[in-house]
Amino acid sequence: MDSTQLLKGVLDLAVLAVLAERDGYGYDVVRRLREAGLEDVGDASVYGTLRRLFRAGALTSYVVASDEGPHRKYYGLNDVGRSLLDSSAKTWRSFSNIMNDLLKEVPS
Amino acid sequence: MDSTQLLKGVLDLAVLAVLAERDGYGYDVVRRLREAGLEDVGDASVYGTLRRLFRAGALTSYVVASDEGPHRKYYGLNDVGRSLLDSSAKTWRSFSNIMNDLLKEVPS
DNA sequence: GCCACTATTGCGCATTGCGCAGTAGTGTGC
DNA sequence: GCACACTACTGCGCAATGCGCAATAGTGGC
């Protein structure tokens, strides 16, 4: 199974969860997701997700100059984003319970 | 969040898990998945998945006449399918752990 | 000056689930 | 006998989304 396909529909949730902890810019979010265990996320996917969530009105955005490179475009959750995170987390949990139940006969 | 997108990449696993329990034909697999909680799976998705898995060599297939309607094309796991199920289940479990960990700060 | 690292954007592709239409067999009610 | 519902499968085209790759650009070390 390709973990790429597993990410579909979950990357939004993962990005929201990371941003809930603390605001972040694209490059940083990629790093934090990889540290969390999603080692194979492509940077383009994350940037795309951030732009999509922003366009959907779930994120705030502000640019900050950096001492160690180009400017950084920070993103943070607003109310829409927080409630999206909550409802998506619910959907995920229920979905993952269904799957784990389906797999209960499959040995680890 | 759309549960449709969550299914991406997981439907294969769900179908394999259902078939591991017992052989089944398309219509039947749809029913069993819906009973398991995946209420929104489209029938076309399941038929497509079965064909894809069969083409990939993970399933056996045999046609059985039926008393209550058209013939039924049964599918069952072969060795390839079983090992695909095992490895996919592993991937899923590790992935779902990562997500649950990311979401540990998000209240239920 | 060249290279590595940081940081973002845009383009086109591949995968895959879905809606919908079509085909077809069986049994029920009128 | 005919419309209808349920069973059962196939094919077509669409939409969403993650990815690879190239391009652009700033900073600092050698």
Side-chain angles (χ1 to χ4, degrees):
Chain A
M1 185 158 69
D2 195 357
S3 79
T4 266
Q5 289 300 325
L6 281 180
L7 262 187
K8 297 245 175 193
V10 182
L11 186 53
D12 283 29
L13 177 53
V15 166
L16 287 171
V18 162
L19 290 183
E21 208 186 329
R22 133 174 66 89
D23 286 8
Y25 51 97
Y27 208 77
D28 175 52
V29 172
V30 172
R31 229 170 0 211
R32 284 155 71 189
L33 287 175
R34 290 190 175 147
E35 275 165 20
L38 302 175
E39 292 163 26
D40 294 336
V41 281
D43 53 330
S45 309
V46 173
Y47 282 110
T49 300
L50 287 170
R51 270 176 276 174
R52 198 158 6 93
L53 288 172
F54 178 72
R55 212 166 46 231
L59 302 181
T60 58
S61 174
Y62 49 100
V63 173
V64 176
S66 164
D67 289 343
E68 330 167 318
H71 70 282
R72 294 166 172 173
K73 194 183 276 182
Y74 275 79
Y75 292 96
L77 296 188
N78 60 20
D79 287 345
V80 175
R82 265 181 294 273
S83 85
L84 184 61
L85 172 58
D86 286 352
S87 69
S88 296
K90 258 191 209 88
T91 306
W92 161 259
R93 286 190 179 111
S94 122
F95 185 83
S96 107
N97 285 336
I98 292 170
M99 287 306 298
N100 287 329
D101 204 47
L102 267 175
L103 293 178
K104 64 175 182 295
E105 303 294 344
V106 181
S108 301
Chain B
M1 183 158 71
D2 196 357
S3 78
T4 265
Q5 288 300 324
L6 282 181
L7 263 187
K8 297 245 176 192
V10 182
L11 186 54
D12 283 29
L13 177 54
V15 167
L16 288 171
V18 163
L19 289 183
E21 207 184 331
R22 139 174 60 91
D23 285 9
Y25 52 96
Y27 208 77
D28 175 53
V29 172
V30 171
R31 234 176 349 220
R32 283 156 72 190
L33 288 176
R34 289 189 177 148
E35 276 165 19
L38 301 176
E39 293 165 24
D40 295 335
V41 281
D43 52 331
S45 309
V46 174
Y47 283 111
T49 300
L50 287 169
R51 271 176 275 172
R52 198 156 10 91
L53 288 172
F54 178 71
R55 212 167 46 233
L59 302 182
T60 58
S61 174
Y62 49 99
V63 173
V64 176
S66 162
D67 290 341
E68 330 168 317
H71 69 281
R72 294 167 171 170
K73 193 183 278 180
Y74 276 78
Y75 291 96
L77 295 189
N78 58 20
D79 286 344
V80 175
R82 265 182 293 273
S83 84
L84 183 59
L85 171 57
D86 285 352
S87 70
S88 296
K90 256 189 211 92
T91 307
W92 160 260
R93 284 189 181 112
S94 122
F95 186 82
S96 109
N97 284 337
I98 291 170
M99 287 306 298
N100 287 329
D101 203 48
L102 266 175
L103 292 177
K104 65 174 182 296
E105 303 294 346
V106 181
S108 300

